[in-house]
Amino acid sequence: MNQEEKIRTLHQLNPTTWVDQYADYLYNYAISRVNDEELAKDLVQETFFAGLNSAKNFKGTASERTWLVAILKRKVIDHYRKSNSKKGKAEIRMSYNNDGEGSWLEEQIADPLSKSENDGIENEELGMAIHECISKLPSKQAKVFTMKTIHGMSTEDICNELSINPSNLWVLVFRARSSLMGCLNENWFAV
Amino acid sequence: MITCEESKTICSKNQYKEASWSERFNMYLHVLMCKTCFKFSRKNTKLTGLCNEASLQALSDTEKSELKNKLGQNS
């Protein structure tokens, strides 16, 4: 039993499942940081290559996904470093409007009515959480849900592609949605 | 009268605005009487909201198989 536990705690790499399991997760992670679809795609690809190349350095202490995300993080940083070195020195500009005494101070105070500051961060976390849950779904449900919800494909197209009938599709969608509701943390559903 | 399973399926269908008029009518009738389905329906709507909020992105199947090819995994 002790040995069994040891095996379970040590994670193993399984590169053949990487694309299906983690591509969307990593893609979302990248896209929220670089804001460019093509670039995000490239970064994900580079991450997988780097992962394959350094697979022997994987110690198994972290999960596969955490490890891949760590590589992707480096890739994103490298990208910004590269693009920064091409630029000249950073410029800091501040505009002072001298139309009234102290008016510039007011400009710098955060608007207390604005709730949108954290929206970006929250949406990113939400996206990652949803993708994590999608990757736990049975593959057919995950496929149908992604096609319908994320790609916004028409019912007819999906049915043709997967050769299923519409009522089949809706049952799959329903199952996927109810598992997602169970998987997503209750916090997300709090109003 | 429709079953809970049917009502939940229609509810999911309705999230994509593809449920027909009669389906919607049957579902609302059921939801009025069934507390479980009422809760499910509310949560389902919330899930749709969350998915929209998160502005989810995903790679398409062709992009994924391209990626697999490049990684040398032909499947």
Side-chain angles (χ1 to χ4, degrees):
Chain A
M1 184 172 166
N2 213 352
Q3 253 191 341
E4 244 181 49
E5 266 174 2
K6 250 183 203 166
I7 293 169
R8 218 176 291 147
T9 47
L10 279 188
H11 297 274
Q12 281 177 335
L13 288 185
N14 197 358
T16 45
T17 62
W18 279 0
V19 176
D20 288 323
Q21 276 199 287
Y22 308 118
D24 285 335
Y25 186 89
L26 295 174
Y27 182 59
N28 264 267
Y29 184 95
I31 217 164
S32 62
R33 264 141 248 259
V34 296
N35 208 8
D36 178 341
E37 286 175 24
E38 282 302 313
L39 183 62
K41 233 184 275 174
D42 288 344
L43 287 174
V44 171
Q45 192 184 319
E46 280 174 35
T47 304
F48 285 143
F49 277 126
L52 282 179
N53 285 336
S54 52
K56 55 184 179 303
N57 298 332
F58 181 70
K59 289 190 205 87
T61 45
S63 77
E64 213 174 18
R65 201 191 64 210
T66 317
W67 186 68
L68 286 170
V69 168
I71 298 175
L72 178 58
K73 217 180 262 176
R74 300 301 319 171
K75 296 281 169 203
V76 173
I77 294 172
D78 282 349
H79 157 72
Y80 278 117
R81 231 174 242 162
K82 234 182 266 168
S83 64
N84 258 343
S85 65
K86 280 178 203 154
K87 269 192 242 154
K89 276 181 191 165
E91 261 179 72
I92 300 169
R93 275 199 202 135
M94 282 176 95
S95 61
Y96 294 102
N97 300 325
N98 289 327
D99 18 285
E101 216 175 307
S103 70
W104 58 277
L105 253 180
E106 275 152 32
E107 282 165 23
Q108 306 203 356
I109 295 173
D111 182 2
L113 295 174
S114 153
K115 276 185 176 173
S116 58
E117 283 155 48
N118 287 329
D119 277 8
I121 302 165
E122 256 172 38
N123 287 350
E124 188 197 320
E125 277 175 15
L126 175 60
M128 309 307 323
I130 294 177
H131 270 286
E132 200 179 332
C133 288
I134 292 178
S135 68
K136 283 179 194 157
L137 293 174
S139 65
K140 202 156 191 186
Q141 285 177 27
K143 210 169 195 172
V144 171
F145 183 81
T146 328
M147 284 167 131
K148 194 74 205 152
T149 315
I150 305 178
H151 297 309
M153 283 169 73
S154 75
T155 311
E156 209 185 341
D157 286 347
I158 300 175
C159 286
N160 283 337
E161 200 164 305
L162 302 176
S163 52
I164 51 177
N165 61 18
S167 56
N168 241 328
L169 176 139
W170 290 117
V171 171
L172 284 172
V173 168
F174 149 61
R175 297 218 175 110
R177 293 185 79 96
S178 32
S179 329
L180 281 184
M181 285 178 217
C183 166
L184 275 179
N185 193 315
E186 277 298 319
N187 293 338
W188 291 115
F189 287 103
V191 184
Chain B
M1 202 53 216
I2 55 172
T3 63
C4 286
E5 177 102 351
E6 280 168 324
S7 134
K8 286 173 179 172
T9 309
I10 296 170
C11 175
S12 302
K13 197 172 173 181
N14 200 27
Q15 299 305 320
Y16 303 92
K17 305 257 179 293
E18 287 183 39
S20 69
W21 186 88
S22 59
E23 279 175 327
R24 281 213 305 273
F25 178 76
N26 279 330
M27 180 192 67
Y28 286 130
L29 212 62
H30 180 99
V31 161
L32 279 178
M33 290 180 278
C34 175
K35 208 168 181 185
T36 325
C37 286
F38 178 73
K39 275 188 191 153
F40 179 89
S41 165
R42 265 186 40 188
K43 223 171 172 186
N44 209 351
T45 312
K46 182 78 187 160
L47 180 66
T48 306
L50 287 176
C51 286
N52 290 338
E53 233 175 79
S55 57
L56 294 170
Q57 305 277 344
L59 294 166
S60 68
D61 272 359
T62 40
E63 284 168 333
K64 277 188 191 167
S65 53
E66 256 173 47
L67 201 54
K68 276 183 193 166
N69 280 338
K70 280 183 190 158
L71 289 170
Q73 305 161 349
N74 284 312
S75 60

